[in-house]
Amino acid sequence: MPSHDNSEIATATKNGVPDRTDRPNDDRYDPQRVEAKWFSRWQSDPQLYAAEPNSTKKKYYVLEMLPYPSGVLHMGHVRNYSIGDALARYMWMNGYNVLHPMGWDSFGLPAENAAIQNNTPPRQWTLGNIAKMKVQMNRIGFAYDWSREVTTCLPDYYRWNQWFFLKFYEKGLAYRKKSRVNWCPKCCTVLANEQVVKGRCWRHEDTLVEQRDLEQWFLRITKYADELLRDLDKLAGWPEKVRTMQRNWIGRSEGTLVDFKLDYAEKHSGFGPAGSTITVFTTRIDTIFGATSVQLAPEHPIVADLAAANPELRAKVDQLIAEQRKAKEVGDIGEIEKHGVPTGRYAINPFNGEKVPVWVANYILIDYGTGAIMSVPAHDDRDYEFAKKYKVEIRLVILPISNDPEETMAEPSLPYIGNEGMLINSGAYSGLECSAAIKKMSAFAEQNGFGKATITYRLKDWGISRQRYWGTPIPMLYCEKDGIVPVPEKDLPVILPENIEIALAFGSPLSGLPEFVNATCPECGGPARRETDTMDTFVDSSWYFYRYTDAHNYHAPFDSKTAQYWFPIDQYIGGIEHAILHLIYSRFWSKFMRDIGLITNDEPIERLFTQGMVIKDGAKMSKSLGNIVSPDEMVARYGADAARLYSLFAAPPDRDLDWQDAGIEGIQRFLGRVYRFVLRNAKPDDSDLRRAVSTDLPPGARAIRRKLHQTIKRVSDDFQGRWHFNTCISAIMELMNALYVYEEAAASAHVGRALPSTSSGQALPATANSATAPVGPSQPEPADVALLAEVQRDLVLLLAPFAPYLAHELWEMLGEKGNLLKASWPQYDAALAKEEELEIPVQINGKLRSKIVVPADASEEYILERALADEKVQAAIAGKQIVKKIFVPGKLVNIVVR
RNA sequence: GCGAGAGUGGCGGAAUUGGCAGACGCACCAGACUUAGGAUCUGGCGGGUAAAACCGUGGGGGUUCGAGUCCCCCCUUUCGCACCA
């Protein structure tokens, strides 16, 4: 083995387990030695994991969500990347042209906070963190194509954010509007939601956060609302959970807008600036004859008008607003106690001319629908609860229709919210069925000018302005003469200046830099002011995976042809916390890119996998709980292979993982067993031997071969979709256990010792509990050297996606010369995997009474005959009458007796 | 309140289609090897019993020859949420 400099890595063991390498002829598996050796080999070959640019192979794009460079890798990362890395290696071994890149989501608030706390410039802090994390990732051995690395905070990337922004603007999809933000009067700056703690500024505990309206840039994602919703149906490779969440997030709702005029006959004076009409949104216009009040959100403009002349109402309304805000803060807006205040005014139901009271209620939200509803207590839960509390009239207008004629037309228990019913007490519409009534009544409202059918979405346009420093500058100029002017494409990128003292900045940091703010208008050449807001970092992550396909393109965000080859992403892997925002923005961005002709795919991601959290002692790992497990420490103590193998073994990847330090030791033991087995059994001329495996093996060897092929099947099948890598690794462990027993038995045979055997004199089982057919020789038989060569080779291949360091080492020990990643994934042979004998449980009345061993191809007649002849079965059915015999091929026999 | 998950030995988990509950690993116990063992190898290991019977997948019902798995009700717990009209 070549010598190498491994000082940096190998020394790490010293603070872990005591060093025992002083023992002579040590056969101990030393992960530090093995991993240091391969680490330096891999590091010296930057092309090792490079995707092939012009390949005729089938492509496979596997991607893990890019991390924020906090400076330290945590176990959640290790788990996420171990899943993707295993898949990438598996696909390489299956002959695919694999794209497996990595990058850095490197703009964002923490860099500015670090700047404030440690006085480190954000750029320096960020790039330093990236360097640290890259070392950690490489040490664990993740197979990334670093030549395509994307760092979003560098101008060669963010210039294309700016370019995209200009395209959005060009197409009328970027616009400005006033929007409410959190404002700290002490910092004179905008706060992110996470910077607001219990209504106060995180840096000034004594300062209440205010709400301010600022002009901000928005992207018109709502234009794509319908398509984003519709195309969810195409995403068959996504978890249903995520699709449901996105569906609810988009929140399409078909309904009707209906105008209720404020009543003139009232004595109160004229109307305020909000006018005299309350437009409500309802999905159930068929219930409008049951409307007994109109409810307004406390922040509705008409409420402001009404309250202007009524200080008492104003105070009550303010109280409702406060309740809403508080509920929102503590996150239980759904459990708010319903409160309302009558305004004293009335509105007219346009369908029957009836006057109904107008209320203000805390359960009506200003930013959904029109911020006003018609209240139909008989047919809506919330309205019912409200009406009961405030003694508002409840009027039944729908009767349920049921298949049961008795039930039909019976008065339902209230509220009846079903929409399979018939209208009553509804004038000309009485007798109509609900859905027909909705159509008819919507049309009527529209014809008479007091309403129209409409679709509302819960989805809102994407506000991308951030009043912060560490982000992509929005490429816009404000000229006194020409107004809002986009920066010309040729002037991109607008470089984020670096000579800035964040800690001293007051208000929006960039606005304090005259050399940044002062610009020239490209239209008139006169003075212009530069936009000082930067972009939301979700912009960066919305399209970065396209940049990977062509990371160094200077003339475009990427080459369309190249992207078309790689897209869609075959498998995307990340945390469930990104189920909504990142994944919906990414889909939106792709659709926009398609519409401006950059790409042809409608959706960016074919399959999505969401992995579970890593928890410790029943709680999410966090600094405050002190239950952090550091990957560096694990790697130093047990090696990278053990750390990644354990992160896959401890739980199915889509479930939360309960980290147990003791568990990883078992993994290390297993790796040691594999290592020592190969150390003992590898023969220099293995490659010749493999071809010489006899077709006529003795029973013990046949059983090992069978176990091997069963294992290949189990591991391969899981890669095809189920991804329960924990059971894959179990399967490989089982194979290893069987090999140890086989080896031991063969050694006994060789020296003529008695075989270890079970008391029954039956074949030696692989393990005492082995539920499957016995593995191991029933007669002493020497180890089949050729078979062992074959098994070892396949074993190493099976292990390669999960424990690459050890796999490479063993590969070399077996005398293999070629790159393990280019070696073919082993294929299982169904005939070899098939059991020769089956153990069939025999049940009497569903209770296990005996087990019989039969040839795998035994007929039903034979098996039933054998089952009935069985001693224990005979005893159990003696004197009873056999009612039924259940036979499930390959599974069991159940005899029903009376 | 709504939506989506989860609940199986001392612990992490397995059981892929309704068919032997507890694979694999940890911990623990025993034996072997050893000057030594926190190394290694072998075996044991749900409760219960001398052995059986029997009991056992959060609780209660049900369907079925047969239920961890399907149905109904309930409890606990995790995650998400925006009372969505």
Side-chain angles (χ1 to χ4, degrees), chain A residues 779-793:
Chain A
Q779 298 296 316
E781 77 184 49
D784 187 305
V785 180
L787 173 69
L788 282 184
E790 181 190 77
V791 174
Q792 288 179 90
R793 186 175 192 275

Side-chain angles (χ1 to χ4, degrees), chain A residues 83 177 263 427 524-525 559 603 668 746:
Chain A
I83 296 168
K177 74 170 177 195
D263 184 8
C524 66
D559 175 62
E603 288 285 339
Q668 199 193 24

Side-chain angles (χ1 to χ4, degrees), chain A residues 3 24 50 122 126 146 171 178 248 277 323 336 343 395 402 467 486 488 498 615 618 635 713 754 776 779 822 876 892:
Chain A
S3 67
T126 303
W146 284 116
K171 301 288 175 193
K178 274 222 161 72
N248 294 339
T277 302
E323 284 171 13
I336 194 168
T343 61
R395 192 185 301 162
S402 165
Q467 293 69 42
E498 288 179 40
I615 58 178
V635 168
K713 177 169 164 50
Q779 298 296 316
K822 300 279 151 59
L892 58 43

